[in-house]
Amino acid sequence: QVQPVESGGGSVQAGGSLRLSCEASGYTLSTGCMGWFRQAPGKGREGVAAISTGGGSPDYADSVKGRFTISQDSAKNTLYLQMTGLKPEDTAMYYCAAGQFVSCSLFWFSAWAKYWGQGTQVTVSS
């Protein structure tokens, strides 16, 4: 059973940084798709960043390009999201997802994001 577990959320002021981690137990990080999503209160789920764990360029939402970086450590079976230049509009619950599909882009997340974590809260104050 694949179970992503997120950590690293917290409260920061605007302009600050956080690094989220997602440990994917039961999942081989080298052979699929993984990504980060977020959901703010009263809003729908938004794709933030995704990566093909076997290689290739990451995919980012326009709202986070240049500020967030997705990366992985296959040896630790862990996915990361480094967030810099945080803005109040980045406040949300952040979720990690994993799965497999021919494309690991955010556009196709409904096809590959089969396993979801419980989320970690990020709050950015102005």
Side-chain angles (χ1 to χ4, degrees), residues 19-108:
R19 188 176 80 158
L20 305 184
S21 299
C22 173
E23 186 172 350
S25 61
Y27 187 76
T28 303
L29 212 63
S30 62
T31 62
C33 309
M34 291 195 75
W36 291 96
F37 299 80
R38 65 188 182 186
Q39 187 165 17
K43 296 188 177 180
R45 186 168 293 180
E46 174 191 19
V48 175
I51 191 170
S52 170
T53 58
S57 299
D59 187 24
Y60 294 97
D62 288 343
S63 57
V64 306
K65 281 181 181 176
R67 300 189 299 123
F68 291 9
T69 302
I70 188 171
S71 63
Q72 63 182 34
D73 185 334
S74 297
K76 296 182 179 179
N77 228 38
T78 300
L79 183 75
Y80 301 100
L81 184 69
Q82 179 67 50
M83 304 186 294
T84 62
L86 283 162
K87 304 175 181 180
E89 51 263 44
D90 294 319
T91 295
M93 185 72 79
Y94 283 70
Y95 299 90
C96 172
Q100 292 185 316
F101 191 60
V102 294
S103 171
C104 296
S105 70
L106 292 173
F107 180 84
W108 289 106

